C-alpha cells in the first residue's frame, strides 16, 4: 500500500499526551497517531453517530426525569403538610412543632422514594 505524508494540527496538550501514551507502548507518537486514525476510520459510521447522539439524549432526559421526580415528591409533601389540620385544643406552638415534624417526615419519605427511583433509572 502506497503511503503519503499528511500533516495534522494538534493542540500542544494533545501532542504531549500522544507522546506519553506512545512512550508507554514503546512506539513513536506518529505510529500511535496512525493507529488512532485507522481505528477511528474503522469505527466511524453515520448510524453509530446517530445511536451515540440518541444515547446522549436519553441520558440527559433520564437525569431530568429524576430531578423532576424529586421536585414533584418534595412539592407533594409540602402540600400534605400545608393541609395538616389543627387538632382540637392544640396550641399554636404545639401545632407548629407537629407541622415541622410532619414536614421532616414527608421530606425524608420523598428523598427515599427519589433515591429508589434514581437507582432504578440508573439500572443499579
Amino acid at each position: 500500500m502506497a503511503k503519503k505524508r499528511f500533516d495534522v494540527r494538534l493542540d500542544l496538550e494533545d501532542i504531549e499526551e500522544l507522546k506519553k501514551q506512545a512512550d508507554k507502548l514503546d512506539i513513536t507518537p506518529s505510529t500511535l497517531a496512525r493507529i488512532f486514525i485507522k481505528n477511528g476510520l474503522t469505527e466511524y459510521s453515520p448510524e453509530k453517530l446517530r445511536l451515540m447522539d440518541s444515547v446522549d439524549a436519553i441520558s440527559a432526559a433520564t437525569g431530568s426525569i429524576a430531578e423532576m421526580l424529586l421536585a414533584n415528591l418534595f412539592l407533594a409533601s409540602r402540600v400534605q403538610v400545608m393541609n395538616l389540620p389543627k387538632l382540637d385544643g392544640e396550641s399554636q406552638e404545639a401545632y407548629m412543632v407537629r407541622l415541622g415534624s410532619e414536614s421532616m417526615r414527608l421530606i425524608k419519605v420523598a428523598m427515599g422514594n427519589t433515591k429508589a427511583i434514581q437507582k432504578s433509572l440508573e439500572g443499579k
Side-chain angles (χ1 to χ4, degrees), residues 22-35:
D23 284 345
K24 288 179 187 177
L25 298 170
D26 200 27
I27 59 176
T28 66
S30 181
T31 299
L32 184 56
R34 279 195 302 277
I35 291 169

Side-chain angles (χ1 to χ4, degrees), residues 65-120:
I65 290 169
E67 290 167 9
M68 286 188 304
L69 286 170
L70 175 59
N72 253 340
L73 289 168
F74 178 76
L75 291 173
S77 69
R78 298 300 296 158
V79 167
Q80 284 179 332
V81 169
M82 289 168 37
N83 292 328
L84 190 68
K86 191 172 179 182
L87 300 175
D88 287 337
E90 185 176 34
S91 71
Q92 183 65 21
E93 185 178 327
Y95 176 70
M96 294 306 287
V97 168
R98 194 164 59 86
L99 196 63
S101 295
E102 185 65 6
S103 293
M104 289 307 295
R105 186 188 73 75
L106 290 170
I107 289 169
K108 286 177 183 175
V109 168
M111 292 299 290
N113 290 342
T114 302
K115 285 178 185 175
I117 291 167
Q118 249 180 329
K119 282 182 182 177
S120 69

